[in-house]
Amino acid sequence: MTLKYHITTFGCQMNVYDSEMMEGIIASRGWERAASEADADLILYNTCVVREGAEQRAMGRLAQLAALKRANPALVVGVTGCMAQKEAERLFEALPHLDLILGTRAIPRLGPMLDRVLATGERQVCTEILDDSFVADVVPIRQRPLKALVNIILGCNKNCSYCIVPQTRGREVSQAPEKIIAEARTLAEHGYKEITLVGQNVNSYKGIGESGEPVDFGGLLRRVSAACPGLRIRYITSHPRDCNEAHISAVAESSGVCENFHLPVQSGSTRVLRKMYRGYSRERYLHLIDRVRSAIPDATLSTDIIVGFPTETEDDFRETMSLMEAVRFDSAYMYMYSPRSGTRAAADHGELSIEVKKARLAELIERQEAIQAEINRNLIGTRVEVVVEDNAPRTPGDLLARTRGDKMVIIPGPADWIGRLMEVEITDANGHTLHARADQGAGDGARNGSISVGGETSLSHCS
Ligand code: SAH
Ligand code: SF4
Ligand code: F3S
């Protein structure tokens, strides 16, 4: 009888990629994906602890698995990801039905650990930080067609005072550029239209090329773009401190790299940024945005913001609001500060009340939504390049597409346009979605792979 697995993923792109690798490892042992947890012989939770809410959600769901385990004692239950790395001992104590704990940098150990649980029924744990924790020789099982994640750097060497990630992901290790390029080429050959290079800090990438030469993030973008004409290249997350001329000019000059900068600012107050250990001031961040915009005038910009950091005053918060006005981000992820034990900020005094944090977050979100709706409405009447990704979930007959700037576009059209790159005209917009129409015959042109964008033919295969 074929054994079946079920994986639930919380958290960021790193976890999504890790789940795809783990799925590759498990499937290579002959297991199949289960339709639901109730149908599975192995249940894995790939967890996140970046904020308290994420941790509580995972703990709640894991506790509920006790009933499934009672009904089927042969079921293997495992926790992986950042909670496994940080809380291994506490988890085994709190959850007696847990069989397996695997840290973020020990994924290559998953196969042998699984074999041992099945053979002996004994609990297995590994939270070792393996020197080379990139998983070799495993083909990840990707969650989506057309768009794929490629991990270029593990870990985080920064030290932001609020953040638990450096403790859960270890020190940085960069993947070799040739391996990244080979993976990008294979993906393009298999029909993927877009890759996203992922890491906690992609632009602190420090690869070593075949001849021993150092390759920085800008160099990597140029190499991947040159090796894979026609493939859209995105990356997440880049740190403002590591966003240098080499990075910006590589985006400006590489036709495959999308002109979208996600640069988490966290706060608009230099005083708070200093307490966060972010390594830049408000002024330096704003200067960086000017440099990006002067190099790439139509670049889209997005950010992450934390409100209610300990001791944040009303004036500090006003500075965050005014920075949002000054930059006018195309989108923003906005969070209330969540104390994480083991971080320096959690030991600080000056924690704000939940009411203050909530009020500040609501005000920030309201203003940001208005700004992004204005930005999007200004696009009405313009023409943009999109890749058609899927059927629209709510409106039959419509398709879901995405611009180079990472905006979602709804276009009416037949399902066989999915996977095509085409130019469309924006007809309507709100804060979250653009509506567009394709030209008469646009679909036919795309079918032949001959839509011309910016003077070059963009639907070619990887060389
Ligand atoms: N490495 C990336 C993002 C890491 S986590 C970077 O530095 O930009 C993603 C986002 O979660 C962060 O940008 C931050 O806005 C948020 N975050 C991290 N720790 C947090 C905490 N303790 N409370 C609230 N938000 C937090
Ligand atoms: Fe966390 Fe800062 Fe590292 Fe981002 S750069 S993962 S916020 S420590
Ligand atoms: Fe969460 Fe770990 Fe990512 S804490 S945000 S899953 S690095």
Side-chain angles (χ1 to χ4, degrees), residues 40-41 65-77 97 99 117-118 121:
D41 305 284
L65 294 181
L68 274 183
K69 178 88 177 181
R70 268 197 303 279
N72 171 18
L75 172 69
V76 177
V77 178
H97 54 287
D99 301 292
V117 178
L118 291 173

Side-chain angles (χ1 to χ4, degrees), residues 14-15 18 82 104-105 154-156 165-171:
M14 306 298 293
N15 265 13
D18 287 347
C82 289
T104 54
R105 296 285 283 268
L154 304 170
C156 174
V165 171
Q167 294 176 47
T168 65
R169 294 270 163 182
R171 304 288 291 170

Side-chain angles (χ1 to χ4, degrees), residues 48-58 336-340:
C48 172
V49 289
V50 78
R51 283 171 291 277
E52 199 183 347
E55 194 169 350
Q56 281 172 349
R57 267 196 305 281
M336 275 191 283
Y337 168 72
S338 170
R340 306 283 60 213

